Amino acid sequence: MSIEKTSETPQDAPAVENPEAAAAAVTAVDPRLLVREQGLTGYLGEFKRKMRAGELGSLPVIVGLIAICAIFQSLNSAFLSAQNLSDITVTMVGTGMISVGIVFVLLLGEIDLSVGSVSGAASALAAVFAVNQGWPEWLAVLVAVAAGAAIGAAHGFFFAVLGAPAFAVTLAGLLFWLGFMLQVLGANGTINLDSDGLIGQLTTYFFSDVAAAYGLAAVVVIVFFGTSYLGNRRREAAGVPSRPLSETALRTGLLAVVAFAAAYMYNQYKGLPLATVIFLAFLVLTDFVLRRTAYGRKVFALGGSVEASRRAGINVTAVRISVFAISGFFAAVGGLFLASKIASANQSAGAGDLLMNAIAAAVIGGTSLFGGRGRTWNALLGVLVIVSIQYGLQLESIAEPVKYMITAGVLLTTVVIDSITRKTQKTAGRA
């Protein structure tokens, strides 16, 4: 008995009654293409959708920064002066560097409470080696920064390998490295640095030639446009949705306004600060690492789900240790900038509100406390908010206790916004 085939070949398949509808059902259109085809109306609709879905990005902190500037300028016309703005951007670098390391740790959904003490210990080591031991200052700086990275890696080892909670490990580190710093500084407790030396000039050197500030602004704008344009061309070649040239030009124009306005401001005072240039260079480098490398994707993956990352073949232990090493590295770098600001390493280094401000800067800037969301540029925005508030209150001779309360209020508001945003995204099915 013969058995007939019952399965249909593609040629035997029944004809489609409405081929246009079938093609539309099969071909998925990226919503970003629809938005850009609709022009300004499409972008406004997309903006409203993001707001409803809780995808606020850096919008709250940018609006807050504008409000802070407007309020303090109305109270004191010196707030937006070239000297005050230049001082703000130099002062913020020490805390901002530490906050960059905090961003990496927060992306894992963890915390590092030791960064203040590590920054003080690193500055103490650099001062002892350079001043007391007579080492070349560049060598003392390298050893201090390497020590910071090694300390962070040690914290990461206790956390990632031995399974101790990061909170407890870094809290112990806070106490231990504070004691270590006091021991290194000795009975005197203060080591003065050469204001004309390498560390001293980190915050006192300015590129006085007006071409420096304008040249850097031009380079930033050109590089941004070039990378954006080439990236869009690669996406087009791969058949992936990309930004139209008009949108890239608009973004470049906005960046140019900000960059050249900053250059003009710097040239009205002492010129382009070296500290700001170094800070921006680190921000560009770390942003590239997080967004454009496999390592950065692993960090974000761990912040999303440790178990899923482990099953995907990611070496969870190695990534965790490296992240804490990065945190220690930036704590040491920030400590050197803070020591440069006061031209000394003393017993108060790393103490006070430094730890709070470093963590607050990362969170206020938009890095989530729950892990998996944030950028190192958040550290810049957050520390700008904090230092701007401090300088504004200082101009108004506001008492120190009030400064703490206002900063705490800003931090609490940011955390509440972050929590509400996560709930909104879950409701909208975006998280």
Side-chain angles (χ1 to χ4, degrees):
M1 183 177 64
S2 63
I3 301 175
E4 296 183 358
K5 294 178 63 177
T6 57
S7 59
E8 295 178 336
T9 63
Q11 290 80 8
D12 299 326
V16 178
E17 295 182 0
N18 191 343
E20 291 81 6
V26 173
T27 305
V29 180
D30 193 298
R32 289 173 293 182
L33 293 178
L34 297 177
V35 168
R36 287 161 187 160
E37 287 176 358
Q38 295 169 1
L40 181 60
T41 304
Y43 281 105
L44 290 176
E46 178 70 1
F47 176 77
K48 293 178 181 178
R49 184 198 65 77
K50 287 184 176 181
M51 293 300 101
R52 288 193 298 267
E55 300 176 38
L56 302 179
S58 298
L59 181 62
V61 68
I62 293 175
V63 172
L65 189 57
I66 294 173
I68 289 169
C69 293
I71 291 171
F72 285 122
Q73 179 66 13
S74 66
L75 296 174
N76 193 318
S77 59
F79 181 79
L80 292 181
S81 66
Q83 178 179 350
N84 193 59
L85 292 178
S86 180
D87 289 344
I88 287 175
T89 57
V90 171
T91 301
M92 74 178 185
V93 172
T95 305
M97 285 289 191
I98 300 174
S99 185
V100 170
I102 291 291
V103 168
F104 276 82
V105 178
L106 289 179
L107 287 175
L108 295 183
E110 302 296 339
I111 194 67
D112 188 349
L113 301 178
S114 69
V115 289
S117 296
V118 173
S119 70
S123 64
L125 285 175
V128 167
F129 291 144
V131 178
N132 294 358
Q133 303 298 324
W135 288 17
E137 203 165 358
W138 64 268
L139 181 59
V141 168
L142 288 180
V143 171
V145 172
I151 291 170
H155 294 163
F157 173 82
F158 284 105
F159 164 58
V161 177
L162 302 183
F167 178 90
V169 170
T170 56
L171 180 59
L174 181 155
L175 298 173
F176 182 88
W177 299 113
L178 175 60
F180 176 84
M181 177 191 71
L182 298 177
Q183 182 68 28
V184 167
L185 290 174
N188 187 33
T190 299
I191 300 177
N192 293 321
L193 298 168
D194 181 8
S195 58
D196 294 325
L198 176 61
I199 298 176
Q201 290 193 338
L202 286 176
T203 56
T204 60
Y205 186 83
F206 291 78
F207 298 96
S208 56
D209 192 335
V210 295
Y214 288 125
L216 179 61
V219 169
V220 169
V221 172
I222 292 172
V223 169
F224 176 81
F225 178 79
T227 54
S228 299
Y229 179 76
L230 294 177
N232 290 335
R233 291 292 298 272
R234 287 195 297 268
R235 294 174 70 87
E236 288 176 1
V240 179
S242 62
R243 291 190 176 96
L245 182 60
S246 58
E247 183 180 343
T248 301
L250 176 60
R251 289 169 175 261
T252 304
L254 293 175
L255 176 62
V257 171
V258 174
F260 281 97
Y264 175 80
M265 178 272 295
Y266 284 131
N267 285 332
Q268 298 306 303
Y269 184 47
K270 293 182 178 180
L272 180 65
L274 173 63
T276 305
V277 174
I278 296 175
F279 187 35
L280 291 176
F282 271 115
L283 288 174
V284 171
L285 175 62
T286 51
D287 184 68
F288 175 83
V289 169
L290 284 177
R291 299 179 61 218
R292 302 293 182 183
T293 67
Y295 175 78
R297 289 189 287 272
K298 291 176 183 178
V299 173
F300 280 105
L302 258 66
S305 173
V306 175
E307 186 57 33
S309 300
R310 183 178 288 109
R311 293 183 179 183
I314 295 176
N315 189 333
V316 174
T317 300
V319 173
R320 282 175 163 175
I321 292 175
S322 67
V323 164
F324 277 89
I326 290 171
S327 179
F329 170 85
F330 278 103
V333 173
L336 295 176
F337 276 92
L338 294 171
S340 173
K341 189 65 179 175
I342 60 176
S344 68
N346 57 40
Q347 294 178 340
S348 64
D353 58 357
L354 177 61
L355 173 62
M356 178 198 73
N357 286 340
I359 297 175
V363 177
I364 290 172
T367 304
S368 176
L369 282 168
F370 304 97
R373 190 177 78 247
R375 297 179 61 181
T376 50
W377 289 101
N378 297 149
L380 170 62
L381 292 173
V383 77
L384 265 177
V385 169
I386 291 175
V387 178
S388 296
I389 291 175
Q390 292 174 344
Y391 267 70
L393 295 176
Q394 185 176 329
L395 286 175
E396 295 302 305
S397 301
I398 302 297
E400 195 70 21
V402 179
K403 295 181 183 179
Y404 283 113
M405 290 187 285
I406 292 177
T407 304
V410 174
L411 176 59
L412 178 61
T413 302
T414 306
V415 173
V416 170
I417 291 175
D418 184 32
S419 300
I420 295 174
T421 297
R422 284 178 60 84
K423 291 180 179 179
T424 305
Q425 289 178 340
K426 287 181 178 179
T427 302
R430 304 287 294 181

